[in-house]
Amino acid sequence: MGPAIPKTLDDIYNDYTIRREALLTALTDDATEFYEACDPGKDNLCLYGHADGNWTVDLPADEVPPELPEPVLGINFARDGMERRDWMALCAVHSDAWLMSVLFFYAARFDDSGRAELFSLVNQHPTVYEVVTGRVPRTKINKRKQPLYWPDDGKWYLVEIHSVDPDTMEAKVQYATGEFEALDFDEVIPSGHMSLLAR
Amino acid sequence: MGPAIPKTLDDIYNDYTIRREALLTALTDDATEFYEACDPGKDNLCLYGHADGNWTVDLPADEVPPELPEPVLGINFARDGMERRDWMALCAVHSDAWLMSVLFFYAARFDDSGRAELFSLVNQHPTVYEVVTGRVPRTKINKRKQPLYWPDDGKWYLVEIHSVDPDTMEAKVQYATGEFEALDFDEVIPSGHMSLLAR
């Protein structure tokens, strides 16, 4: 057995980031090794990004139904019928689809706002497909810094908006100090307690 | 071949809602038929929610790699070793995981804000797991109506906030007339062109 089953938002997000890094390593740094492992002469193979940070190209799980959603089967059979670049992109797209299935398998007991928070954390990272195809750098995090004004103390703060929940109109922001705060836009904006600077 | 491959946000969202309804039908209205179809004496079976609104319990795709991410394999082997209710919940969790993998497989070329918009549309619906376990009614849509004030004409409008993109601070709202509008919170809130009423 591997690590314990992730249950909290932080644990599930962490599991995602580690599996994503493992898959990225297979498809970028270790691309040659990955390519060679996907021999079309072998049985059905899958690319796994493991929760310990390693990747393997392996046969699917022996037991069915498996403990976890499985990655797409038989990527090796497609290898020699496509341009290498296209095949790598296909493996990347299937890797992203698999990461999402694992993420929401673990988050099955979350409600809609929990799912929204988890997704907004995950969506800060470029997809495996974006990295493998060179569209977005591997480490880019799509957080935008915003100046935030608190009239109470007359000061501006630079915050990162991590997520906004459209149902509750609550935003999760992070100050430059690293401190997190949940802001209720419904309250703070009309009352003038907070202003977000227009770009 | 089935329907054309969905490419736009609307088409992918539509594909999701149809597949989700098909899976819900299998696991609720047609639960007895579904249960009987999952005979543990048969080969590896998968539950498919198709883009035409039908569901089937079937062998996995012949060709590998398949055109689309596949649902979990061998749900029928688990049927008689668990409480029926738990097994149905397990099938529901795997169905949600599969819906997510199909969704993001189709959305592979979307950027982060496209993914966020798609997810916020999908996340309005209860998951298959929430419906099958009775946590949330099947048809509930988690849109919240909000009064919106436009000082320009001094009128209140009732709007539904469909999604908020934290990167661009743009919200997609729908008026009671059915009309959609994209609002840039960065602009409309500080300038006083719009107020959202505190609850």
Side-chain angles (χ1 to χ4, degrees):
Chain A
M1 297 297 302
I5 293 168
K7 289 201 173 77
T8 65
L9 188 135
D10 284 345
D11 289 348
I12 295 172
Y13 173 57
N14 198 37
D15 180 271
Y16 168 87
T17 57
I18 294 170
R19 289 183 193 273
R20 175 182 168 278
E21 275 299 323
L23 292 166
L24 281 173
T25 302
L27 294 164
T28 59
D29 306 337
D30 301 347
T32 305
E33 194 186 331
F34 167 71
Y35 185 88
E36 283 164 8
C38 290
D39 180 350
K42 292 190 184 160
D43 280 342
N44 272 324
L45 294 174
C46 301
L47 168 59
Y48 292 88
H50 299 288
D52 65 0
N54 292 311
W55 64 269
T56 55
V57 166
D58 221 332
L59 296 170
D62 274 340
E63 304 156 46
V64 285
E67 273 179 51
L68 262 189
E70 286 269 289
V72 72
L73 191 72
I75 45 171
N76 53 313
F77 297 138
R79 193 192 71 178
D80 293 351
M82 302 171 75
E83 291 286 332
R84 177 171 169 150
R85 207 178 54 173
D86 295 340
W87 177 76
M88 294 293 282
L90 179 72
C91 293
V93 169
H94 274 295
S95 295
D96 285 316
W98 179 58
L99 284 173
M100 283 296 172
S101 66
V102 172
L103 186 79
F104 287 100
F105 181 82
Y106 282 140
R109 286 168 194 280
F110 284 28
D111 66 6
D112 58 331
S113 61
R115 295 192 298 270
E117 187 172 359
L118 184 62
F119 182 77
S120 72
L121 286 171
V122 161
N123 197 39
Q124 300 172 98
H125 299 276
T127 62
V128 175
Y129 173 76
E130 284 175 329
V131 176
V132 167
T133 57
R135 282 169 168 73
V136 183
R138 179 165 177 172
T139 53
K140 178 173 181 283
I141 290 244
N142 297 310
K143 285 182 229 160
R144 210 187 67 189
K145 285 220 165 56
Q146 295 239 124
L148 176 105
Y149 181 68
W150 281 99
D152 290 7
D153 60 6
K155 282 186 185 156
W156 288 94
Y157 297 93
L158 203 60
V159 297
E160 284 178 351
I161 301 182
H162 278 250
S163 59
V164 179
D165 179 339
D167 287 323
T168 61
M169 286 303 288
E170 195 179 86
K172 195 171 171 185
V173 302
Q174 185 176 24
Y175 291 88
T177 58
E179 215 180 322
F180 277 94
E181 189 164 28
L183 294 178
D184 189 336
F185 279 1
D186 280 359
E187 281 175 30
V188 296
I189 294 177
S191 67
H193 276 292
M194 190 189 83
S195 313
L196 288 167
L197 191 68
R199 274 166 297 170
Chain B
M1 297 299 300
I5 293 168
K7 290 203 174 78
T8 66
L9 188 134
D10 285 346
D11 288 348
I12 295 173
Y13 173 57
N14 198 37
D15 179 270
Y16 167 88
T17 59
I18 295 171
R19 290 182 193 273
R20 174 183 169 279
E21 275 300 322
L23 293 167
L24 281 173
T25 302
L27 294 165
T28 60
D29 307 337
D30 300 346
T32 306
E33 194 186 331
F34 167 69
Y35 185 88
E36 283 164 10
C38 290
D39 180 350
K42 291 187 183 163
D43 280 343
N44 274 324
L45 295 173
C46 300
L47 168 60
Y48 292 88
H50 299 289
D52 65 0
N54 293 311
W55 64 269
T56 54
V57 166
D58 222 332
L59 296 170
D62 273 340
E63 303 156 45
V64 285
E67 271 179 54
L68 263 187
E70 285 271 288
V72 72
L73 190 71
I75 45 171
N76 53 314
F77 297 137
R79 193 192 72 178
D80 292 350
M82 301 172 77
E83 291 285 335
R84 177 170 167 150
R85 209 179 51 175
D86 294 341
W87 177 75
M88 293 292 283
L90 179 73
C91 292
V93 169
H94 274 296
S95 295
D96 285 316
W98 179 58
L99 284 173
M100 284 297 172
S101 66
V102 172
L103 186 79
F104 287 100
F105 181 82
Y106 282 140
R109 286 170 195 278
F110 283 28
D111 66 7
D112 58 333
S113 62
R115 294 193 299 269
E117 187 172 358
L118 185 62
F119 182 77
S120 72
L121 287 171
V122 161
N123 197 40
Q124 300 174 99
H125 298 277
T127 61
V128 176
Y129 173 78
E130 285 175 327
V131 176
V132 167
T133 57
R135 282 167 167 77
V136 183
R138 178 163 175 173
T139 53
K140 179 174 180 282
I141 289 244
N142 298 311
K143 285 181 229 161
R144 211 187 66 185
K145 286 222 164 54
Q146 295 239 118
L148 177 104
Y149 182 67
W150 280 100
D152 290 7
D153 60 5
K155 283 187 186 156
W156 287 95
Y157 296 94
L158 203 60
V159 296
E160 284 177 352
I161 301 184
H162 279 250
S163 60
V164 179
D165 180 338
D167 284 324
T168 61
M169 287 304 288
E170 194 179 87
K172 196 172 172 184
V173 303
Q174 186 175 25
Y175 290 86
T177 58
E179 214 180 321
F180 278 94
E181 190 165 28
L183 294 177
D184 189 335
F185 280 2
D186 280 0
E187 280 176 31
V188 296
I189 294 177
S191 65
H193 276 293
M194 189 190 83
S195 312
L196 289 166
L197 190 68
R199 270 165 299 171

